[in-house]
Amino acid sequence: MSLKSFDKFCEDLILKEPGSDKIILDERQKIMQSKILTEALIIFSGLAFVNCLVMDLAYQWAETYAAPLLVFMLICACYFNIRCAATGSLVGINGERSVKFSAGYCVFMGIMMSIKYAFSREEEDRVLFADGKLTDNFCFLLVWILAITCGILTLIFIKKSRKEKEGDEQ
């Protein structure tokens, strides 16, 4: 029994339930994803600490503390997806469908919410800077734009990994 047929056998054993879309990662992929997740969380924690330190001690550059944290969260999510795609651990043996759904949902929500903020009729929603600070509306618009970017990057990476898998099978 070859390694590919054994993988297919194990996949069939696990996924015999109809409608089951579990992501199955091999051991290397699990280890790489956990390392990359740890890196992304350390980066996010560092950015959050520096943000709070600067806003408390030096200059409050945004209206609230939470809005820049959302921007940092999406930046770290993009970093996570890029690093996982680079190491080949974004999509497992299967589970491409659930990752694709998540990416599509990010793109859809990003587009809908960006339109809401960009074309708001209220004047206060369109203000990007006030009193020398970034407004929360600008930060939220940036978050939704980053969500679109993250979703599109993920879809590109999924397509690339699918082509690599097809090339390996031939």
Side-chain angles (χ1 to χ4, degrees):
M1 181 178 259
S2 70
L3 188 57
K4 284 186 182 182
S5 61
F6 180 72
D7 284 344
K8 185 67 176 164
F9 172 73
C10 291
E11 181 181 334
D12 288 341
L13 277 178
I14 295 170
L15 295 176
K16 282 296 181 183
E17 305 167 13
S20 176
D21 286 333
K22 297 177 187 175
I23 297 175
I24 301 172
L25 301 170
D26 62 10
E27 202 60 37
R28 182 195 63 82
Q29 290 173 325
K30 285 181 189 177
I31 292 169
M32 289 306 297
Q33 267 196 358
S34 63
K35 283 183 180 180
I36 295 168
L37 181 62
T38 304
E39 286 176 15
L41 288 174
I42 289 171
I43 292 170
F44 176 74
S45 299
L47 287 172
F49 176 73
V50 169
N51 175 54
C52 291
L53 191 68
V54 167
M55 287 182 72
D56 274 341
L57 300 177
Y59 178 69
Q60 188 169 359
W61 59 279
E63 282 183 340
T64 61
Y65 284 65
L69 293 180
L70 290 172
V71 174
F72 298 152
M73 180 186 70
L74 263 293
I75 290 171
C76 290
C78 287
Y79 171 79
F80 176 78
N81 284 342
I82 291 169
R83 288 270 301 164
C84 283
T87 60
S89 59
L90 183 64
V91 179
I93 296 170
N94 73 338
E96 179 182 300
R97 183 175 175 215
S98 61
V99 176
K100 193 183 295 186
F101 175 78
S102 298
Y105 189 73
C106 279
V107 171
F108 174 74
M109 286 303 295
I111 290 171
M112 290 298 140
M113 296 306 288
S114 295
I115 289 171
K116 175 188 171 220
Y117 282 105
F119 298 110
S120 175
R121 291 180 184 233
E122 297 179 27
E123 187 65 33
E124 65 187 36
D125 286 346
R126 287 189 265 155
V127 175
L128 302 180
F129 298 97
D131 300 325
K133 301 175 188 175
L134 290 177
T135 62
D136 287 345
N137 289 329
F138 178 74
C139 289
F140 292 138
L141 182 62
L142 188 58
V143 164
W144 294 118
I145 290 170
L146 284 170
I148 293 169
T149 305
C150 188
I152 290 172
L153 281 175
T154 305
L155 290 172
I156 290 169
F157 294 145
I158 290 170
K159 191 171 189 170
K160 183 180 173 186
S161 71
R162 185 183 328 141
K163 284 183 180 180
E164 287 175 1
K165 281 184 183 179
E166 288 174 359
D168 289 343
E169 288 176 2
Q170 292 176 2

